[in-house]
Amino acid sequence: MDERDFARFAQFIHETCGIKLQRAKKTMLEARLQKRLRVLGLESYSAYASYLFSPRGLELELSYLIDCVTTNTTDFFRESRHFDYLLQSALPYWYAENGTARPFGIWSAGCSIGAEPYTLSMVCTEFSELRPGFRFDILATDISGQALSAAVRAIYTEDQARGVPDALKRKYLLRSKDRARRMVRIVPELRRQVTFKRLNFMEDFRLDRQMDVVFCRNVIIYFDRPTQEVLLGRLSDQLRVGGHMFIGHSESLTGMGLPLRQVEPTIYIKTGERRHSG
């Protein structure tokens, strides 16, 4: 891949889905696009660029390109203290305030192959067992159609599900009848609590209602600082006052002027109107 083609791809990817590809990512992009070249019968990255930027290519190839550049690795109960906080602090506080008046709404923004929203479904189901009438629903979104298809299937290798505590594995994971395959599937009652939708953060979006919790972890690291601030402002708009925002351990909201107050590292509560950053 020559520098001109990489620059075209990088600019297009940044404008289309906000992901900033540094020069150091050139080898990664080459490797991930190899499969598309083989599928399309193209002999060079320049030929792929010509196809991608044609009217037909923009219509048919964009979703495949996005799948190539997004990272869809994730784990159940990743950054487990977030789920401890949800179970021990956020949920009890919300239930004391709202009881059974309405469902508890969670948005898993950047849900990848589904481990995060299904973990959230396990946690909320556990919470509900001692609170009759407690209801919840989870919206899970991602830009990758391939990742969402895997999430809807809800089938994982035992290695992928290793983060699930043993007691919850017995309750919420169905093992394959062919034990040699070492595959598991999320039980139907958890799957029913999650709605999956494709969403590109670079497009205009507004949810049907504000959420009580937003998980957006290890997503903004792919964006440049101005894009991060715009995106997090829009995510905050979808969060109720008093609701919680969870971000990844390597991410920071410092200096962004968001209506969020930190309560623990990477955990924030929405306080009200946005402030100007600076």
Side-chain angles (χ1 to χ4, degrees), residues 105-116:
I106 307 175
W107 180 15
S108 171
C111 67
S112 187
I113 60 173
E116 180 176 274

Side-chain angles (χ1 to χ4, degrees), residues 20-37:
K20 188 75 171 178
L21 286 185
Q22 304 292 346
R23 174 64 181 74
K25 297 292 186 179
K26 179 171 176 285
T27 300
M28 177 274 289
L29 184 62
E30 289 175 336
R32 293 188 178 185
L33 288 180
Q34 272 293 331
K35 181 179 179 181
R36 293 307 300 161
L37 265 64

